[in-house]
């Protein structure tokens, strides 16, 4: 089944403790992206990647890191989480700029709470 | 800067009604527009995707239209059911990039 898989689904952590949220897609998509969703603010893009080893900042990149060493994986790293990063996070993938017809596929989300 | 607006933010209707959900965007230079459904605490499920060159797309009881020149899209839901209750999100992909810009969504409640 074509899908984007995020782990974990739920995470409670303490301020300053480094964490990684994994994202993997099995559709050979070139483009991958991370979003956060907050009440009243909607979905905002954190980082995106056009292909392996190509990443760039979205609208709200502060406090986050990403890497794209393999086409299928795009982990989101919080080096020193803070309470304002408490949010619902989504990973998404798309075929790429030369093949957008199929749109975007989203993962099921990771609900992160930083205390 | 692209802005996507969905009005109203919430809608409550009785079962069986035909519904029109509205989405507007400020920059017509879009690659495509996608409608999503989100159930509480869950991920986004893609409903319909309309390319910039298309006028509409249909899937079952859903029909989405796109008027790029006026910056508008509508999602039509025929014969609404309680199972249609969810938040509906509209998102546009910017031309020249892959970035999706989302509206804040419309929470639909269909009452039995």
């Amino acid at each position: 089944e074509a899908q984007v898989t995020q782990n974990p689904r739920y995470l409670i952590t303490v301020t300053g403790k480094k964490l990684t949220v994994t994202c993997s897609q099995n559709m050979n998509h070139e483009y991958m992206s991370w979003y956060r969703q907050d009440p009243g603010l909607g979905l905002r893009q954190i980082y995106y990647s056009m292909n392996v080893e190509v990443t760039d900042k979205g609208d709200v990149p502060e406090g986050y890191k990403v890497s794209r060493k393999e086409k299928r994986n795009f982990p989101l790293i919080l080096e020193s989480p803070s309470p304002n990063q408490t949010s619902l996070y989504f990973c998404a993938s798309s075929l790429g700029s030369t093949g957008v017809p199929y749109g975007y596929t989203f993962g099921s989300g990771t609900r992160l709470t930083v205390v | 800067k692209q802005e996507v607006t969905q009005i109203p933010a919430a809608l409550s209707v009785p079962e069986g009604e035909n519904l029109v959900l509205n989405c507007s965007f400020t920059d017509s230079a879009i690659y495509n527009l996608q409608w999503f459904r989100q159930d509480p605490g869950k991920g986004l499920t893609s409903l319909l995707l309309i390319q910039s060159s298309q006028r509409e797309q249909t899937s079952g009881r859903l029909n989405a239209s796109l008027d790029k020149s006026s910056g508008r899209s509508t999602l039509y839901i025929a014969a609404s059911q309680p199972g249609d209750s969810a938040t509906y999100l509209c998102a546009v992909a910017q031309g020249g990039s892959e970035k999706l810009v989302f509206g804040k969504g419309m929470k639909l409640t269909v009452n039995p």
Side-chain angles (χ1 to χ4, degrees):
Chain A
E1 178 187 354
Q3 60 186 356
V4 176
T5 303
Q6 290 178 233
N7 280 297
R9 290 292 311 277
Y10 301 92
L11 179 60
I12 301 174
T13 191
V14 296
T15 299
K17 185 176 181 181
K18 181 179 178 180
L19 66 92
T20 299
V21 184
T22 64
C23 174
S24 180
Q25 49 93 5
N26 62 359
M27 296 166 282
N28 202 35
H29 282 174
E30 291 183 349
Y31 180 88
M32 297 185 75
S33 181
W34 277 100
Y35 290 82
R36 62 179 287 175
Q37 185 177 33
D38 301 289
L41 297 175
L43 280 132
R44 295 175 293 169
Q45 190 183 53
I46 304 171
Y47 267 95
Y48 65 95
S49 169
M50 298 293 284
N51 213 324
V52 175
E53 302 291 3
V54 181
T55 64
D56 208 345
K57 297 177 181 178
D59 296 319
V60 288
E62 295 77 21
Y64 305 94
K65 284 176 58 178
V66 293
S67 69
R68 188 92 180 272
K69 293 184 170 55
E70 309 165 276
K71 199 170 188 179
R72 63 182 293 126
N73 295 323
F74 190 45
L76 179 69
I77 302 158
L78 284 72
E79 294 268 3
S80 183
S82 62
N84 65 11
Q85 293 179 296
T86 292
S87 186
L88 181 58
Y89 291 86
F90 290 103
C91 180
S93 73
S94 169
L95 189 58
S97 58
T98 59
V100 182
Y102 300 105
Y104 293 80
T105 302
F106 278 76
S108 298
T110 295
R111 185 166 292 282
L112 172 66
T113 302
V114 183
V115 298
Chain B
K1 179 183 173 183
Q2 177 76 271
E3 292 182 2
V4 179
T5 303
Q6 293 181 251
I7 295 174
L11 184 64
S12 181
V13 299
E15 183 177 4
E17 293 229 337
N18 298 324
L19 305 174
V20 176
L21 282 60
N22 294 304
C23 172
S24 62
F25 48 94
T26 55
D27 186 347
S28 62
I30 64 170
Y31 221 153
N32 57 45
L33 183 144
Q34 199 164 356
W35 282 93
F36 295 90
R37 169 188 172 134
Q38 185 176 25
D39 293 288
K42 306 283 187 178
L44 279 68
T45 301
S46 178
L47 298 174
L48 287 165
L49 169 72
I50 311 177
Q51 297 297 337
S52 60
S53 58
Q54 297 175 320
R55 298 285 292 186
E56 66 179 285
Q57 285 285 333
T58 298
S59 176
R61 294 183 295 109
L62 305 179
N63 175 278
S65 66
L66 174 65
D67 184 340
K68 204 173 72 161
S69 61
S70 69
R72 293 173 189 254
S73 176
T74 60
L75 178 66
Y76 177 81
I77 303 176
S80 58
Q81 305 169 356
D84 294 329
S85 298
T87 295
Y88 290 81
L89 293 146
C90 165
V92 298
Q94 286 297 101
S97 79
E98 293 285 336
K99 180 179 178 178
L100 269 184
V101 179
F102 282 86
K104 293 183 178 176
M106 194 211 76
K107 183 178 180 181
L108 173 65
T109 303
V110 181
N111 301 300

